[in-house]
Amino acid sequence: MRQDYPLQPFVDPLPLPARRVVSDAERITIRLRTALHQYHRDLPPSPVWTFDGTVPGPTIEVRRGVPLEVRWENQLAGMLPIVVSVAPSHEIDGIPVQNMPGRSGGVRNRAAAALPGYAVVHLHGGLTHATSDGWAENLTAPGQWALDTYPNDQRAALLWYHDHVMGVTRYSVYGGLAGLWIVRDDRERELGLPEGPPYEVPLLIQDRNFDADADGRLTGDLLHKTDPEVVEAFAPITTVNGKVWPVLDVEPTTYRFRVLNGSNARTFRLVLARDDRVDHARIVQIGSEGGLFRSSAALPAQGLILASAERADLLVDFSDLAPGSELTLLNTARAPFDGTGADPATAGTADPDGLLPYPEVMRLRVVDGQGRDAKSPRIGIGAKLATDFDRLTRASLAGVTMRAIALVELESDTGDEPPMLTMRELAEDPGDGPDLITVVDTDAVGAESMRRYRTVATRFEDTVTFFPTLGVPEIWRLINLTSDTHPIHVHLDAFQVLDRRAATVVIPQGGITAALTRATVTIGAAPEDGISHALDDNELGLKDTVRVNPNEVVDIAVRFESFAGRFMYHCHILEHEDRDMMRPFVTMPAELMPFM
Ligand SMILES: [Cu+2]
């Protein structure tokens, strides 16, 4: 075993999830059921909750416009199969225990141990009618089933399905309830992109921890460990497609990797290294959550940042490499992630203090094979990929409705609970009362404007205040008043990120209470945080999840097209979503608006 590593890296081959290729409209059944899954050859099998018995669940592959009905049969038996531990924060040999393998140590969460398998499935990124969108309160109990309809009438993209149950999604997704869903269309075929094995490979990346027995041996039991002050679980071991630090043999040709960060809370910044050097010139990014870009992009200089639920469609050309060459995919992102950069040349250095004791993600090993003769697409940086959407500009959106949302951390008033994270919906207030958020903005020609907002909703169960009209664009302004990065996910139609701007945030003493928010946010005034607040080239396409860093205001252009109904938007750090960083919105047909 490699020294200090709890499990030997790069020994298990990367598994490919079972494929379920659907070519005609049909009804399929997927069973949510308890199973055993082996995360590493040297680990005992782990009890898990699964879709159809595997971690990850089967990959659904479907052509655009082919509708699919899924009967989700809940056969989850027994209680939550993972160990949930809230251990006091302390260090052993200078390493925060929260992020070490095993050592559940502290108090086990008895309520979690008694959780039966309530579930509701959400197709993340799917253009789905509200009644099939996996509303977090519409649960099935074990023994019940739900029938959901997925039109799949949307751009080709990598979607994923996962549990979305109110309050405890962090446990059931961690426990195994996630799978991939690929929509394909003609444009991808025209480009000659690889479809299916061996040259198209999904990479579902998830951090995991395992419990240990009294002798320190890992038992295989999944361990969700937090400390009392920190709500997020940042697990130390990386799995890809359900295996710890796997290895993939690649032939000397171009591969298409469909990458998803399916972790609860951890953000990855992926760096590909060969012989200890950054090796990014062979990578072209062709798409993100909403499918193909207008034109292909190079990886950002620091590496590929993917927060929870973000996806990347990558072409990686290995054709110049001799058999025996090895490349390693590494993570350089500290946890909790706050947008701070890192030199990719330092990739591979452990950072226990940044809750990154093992930076390895997976290894790629070049082998001989027929790949050298395979017809692989030649797509360079800047190649035209899609023309079915235009990049939106602020000018083209002049005068549209703007809705503002503050991302807020509320300290527990008793001090013995972790903070609550909330999304506070704001409404413009002409008054000058004390409990307002003041946003000072500067437009393109330098003119300053000031808007004041009062807080109109703070909790998930508060009254709906967002009623977007179908077909009408809006700008949603995300104002981060916290010191962490939040990946904000909007259900239904993909959006465009208009811009990400630095802001100086001032919160007076006592400015944040359960119902009120007082702060001054000056957009454009650069805070001294050393973070790059600019959008990366790979954030200019269609997205369904956007990172909002500290000291930042992010404007997204949303437009809901097809389905009227009640949907959700939320932080995709599952521990935040579960602790109320989630809100409803209702999309309305224009014809009904006069009657509302
Ligand atoms: Cu969050």
Side-chain angles (χ1 to χ4, degrees):
M1 182 177 300
R2 192 162 150 178
Q3 200 155 18
D4 299 333
Y5 275 60
L7 294 161
Q8 172 125 22
F10 315 137
V11 291
D12 281 308
L14 176 82
L16 298 180
R19 299 170 71 207
R20 205 137 171 191
V21 182
V22 177
S23 42
D24 293 307
E26 62 174 298
R27 178 183 295 182
I28 65 174
T29 297
I30 295 182
R31 294 174 183 85
L32 287 71
R33 61 183 183 86
T34 310
L36 291 173
H37 173 78
Q38 196 168 15
Y39 280 95
H40 187 277
R41 67 164 197 202
D42 298 327
L43 262 184
S46 309
V48 285
W49 278 349
T50 71
F51 291 107
D52 268 356
T54 61
V55 170
T59 301
I60 309 297
E61 298 185 27
V62 63
R63 301 282 306 164
R64 177 174 187 161
V66 173
L68 191 59
E69 284 184 327
V70 182
R71 184 182 151 104
W72 304 100
E73 276 186 16
N74 187 339
Q75 300 179 356
L76 296 169
M79 302 300 159
L80 180 74
I82 69 178
V83 177
V84 175
S85 158
V86 185
S89 180
H90 64 285
E91 299 188 344
I92 293 176
D93 302 333
I95 299 178
V97 166
Q98 191 215 352
N99 196 236
M100 291 175 74
R103 301 189 197 273
S104 59
V107 186
R108 300 213 175 183
N109 184 317
R110 288 167 63 187
L115 261 182
Y118 288 101
V120 55
V121 183
H122 167 59
L123 176 59
H124 182 126
L127 269 182
T128 309
H129 193 280
T131 54
S132 288
D133 194 52
W135 183 263
E137 294 166 316
N138 294 348
L139 311 181
T140 58
Q144 299 175 338
W145 51 270
L147 181 62
D148 289 316
T149 305
Y150 303 97
N152 296 305
D153 189 10
Q154 59 185 96
R155 307 178 86 229
L158 172 68
L159 319 180
W160 62 308
Y161 59 98
H162 61 76
D163 182 59
H164 209 308
V165 62
M166 195 72 192
V168 289
T169 293
R170 63 191 181 283
Y171 300 139
S172 45
V173 172
Y174 194 85
L177 287 177
L180 304 175
W181 184 298
I182 297 176
V183 179
R184 305 196 182 279
D185 69 12
D186 294 339
R187 180 57 187 152
E188 289 195 332
R189 291 235 163 116
E190 285 167 17
L191 289 166
L193 298 173
E195 278 185 21
Y199 303 120
E200 181 193 40
V201 179
L203 302 176
L204 167 55
I205 301 175
Q206 297 176 304
D207 61 344
R208 289 293 180 266
N209 199 352
F210 302 96
D211 203 8
D213 63 19
D215 299 323
R217 276 187 303 255
L218 298 183
T219 62
D221 288 337
L222 282 167
L223 170 63
H224 181 282
K225 184 165 55 173
T226 56
D227 73 37
E229 286 84 40
V230 180
V231 66
E232 307 92 1
F234 296 108
I237 296 170
T238 303
T239 69
V240 187
N241 297 348
K243 283 288 175 194
V244 173
W245 300 313
V247 56
L248 174 68
D249 287 346
V250 294
E251 299 169 13
T253 185
T254 297
Y255 278 68
R256 181 184 189 191
F257 293 119
R258 314 295 299 267
V259 192
L260 159 65
N261 179 0
S263 303
N264 279 26
R266 184 181 290 278
T267 294
F268 283 81
R269 181 171 41 220
L270 298 171
V271 170
L272 183 67
R274 184 167 61 98
D275 301 330
D276 295 325
R277 294 233 179 95
V278 179
D279 192 15
H280 287 176
R282 65 181 71 255
I283 305 177
V284 176
Q285 185 171 351
I286 58 172
S288 58
E289 294 96 89
L292 290 178
F293 294 151
R294 285 175 54 80
S295 55
S296 52
L299 277 205
Q302 285 186 33
L304 174 65
I305 305 174
L306 294 176
S308 177
E310 283 191 298
R311 282 96 79 197
D313 195 346
L314 305 177
L315 294 178
V316 187
D317 180 359
F318 301 105
S319 61
D320 60 312
L321 296 179
S325 305
E326 288 187 334
L327 306 95
T328 309
L329 198 58
L330 299 156
N331 178 22
T332 67
R334 291 169 60 92
F337 187 71
D338 64 2
T340 305
D343 180 355
T346 64
T349 312
D351 180 2
D353 204 39
L355 301 182
L356 186 63
Y358 316 112
E360 287 79 3
V361 174
M362 65 178 290
R363 173 151 291 172
L364 300 149
R365 197 166 54 198
V366 181
V367 297
D368 216 351
Q370 56 189 1
R372 204 175 282 285
D373 308 317
K375 262 195 276 156
S376 51
R378 294 259 170 263
I379 293 177
I381 308 290
K384 263 266 157 295
L385 299 173
T387 55
D388 62 335
F389 72 97
D390 290 319
R391 177 74 193 147
L392 293 171
T393 62
R394 198 164 279 286
S396 71
L397 293 164
V400 304
T401 297
M402 180 158 75
R403 305 185 193 274
I405 302 131
L407 314 181
V408 172
E409 184 162 333
L410 174 67
E411 295 300 331
S412 144
D413 40 11
T414 59
D416 55 3
E417 286 253 319
M420 299 266 312
L421 282 301
T422 60
M423 317 194 52
R424 303 195 158 183
E425 290 171 2
L426 308 175
E428 247 185 290
D429 189 315
D432 56 357
D435 290 312
L436 300 177
I437 297 186
T438 304
V439 177
V440 183
D441 199 352
T442 307
D443 70 13
V445 292
E448 213 172 69
S449 64
M450 194 167 82
R451 292 187 195 214
R452 290 158 76 73
Y453 297 93
R454 69 179 186 280
T455 302
V456 291
T458 63
R459 305 288 303 267
F460 179 72
E461 303 293 353
D462 287 350
T463 306
V464 176
T465 74
F466 285 10
F467 292 90
T469 306
L470 289 181
V472 178
E474 302 188 344
I475 296 174
W476 288 13
R477 170 163 289 182
L478 302 159
I479 304 167
N480 192 346
L481 302 183
T482 79
S483 52
D484 294 327
T485 299
H486 301 273
I488 303 301
H489 169 48
V490 182
H491 287 209
L492 207 55
D493 298 77
F495 54 78
Q496 289 192 38
V497 187
L498 273 182
D499 48 36
R500 171 186 280 140
R501 290 188 288 164
T504 300
V505 174
V506 179
I507 303 173
Q509 188 76 32
I512 300 212
T513 66
L516 302 172
T517 323
R518 204 182 328 147
T520 302
V521 178
T522 309
I523 304 178
E528 291 170 345
D529 58 12
I531 295 175
S532 164
H533 293 279
L535 288 178
D536 286 328
D537 286 349
N538 63 9
E539 296 181 293
L540 304 180
L542 297 175
K543 289 183 64 65
D544 63 36
T545 306
V546 62
R547 279 172 272 118
V548 186
N549 297 306
N551 298 316
E552 204 162 88
V553 172
V554 173
D555 284 357
I556 63 174
V558 303
R559 190 168 71 181
F560 304 100
E561 295 286 356
S562 31
F563 293 110
R566 186 168 290 225
F567 296 88
M568 297 184 289
Y569 70 105
H570 57 89
C571 179
H572 217 284
I573 291 179
L574 301 183
E575 287 84 357
H576 293 185
E577 169 188 333
D578 280 346
R579 278 186 69 80
D580 235 28
M581 207 169 187
M582 180 156 81
R583 283 284 302 154
F585 64 93
V586 174
T587 54
M588 296 288 299
E591 298 83 348
L592 292 191
M593 288 307 272
F595 299 94
M596 289 304 290

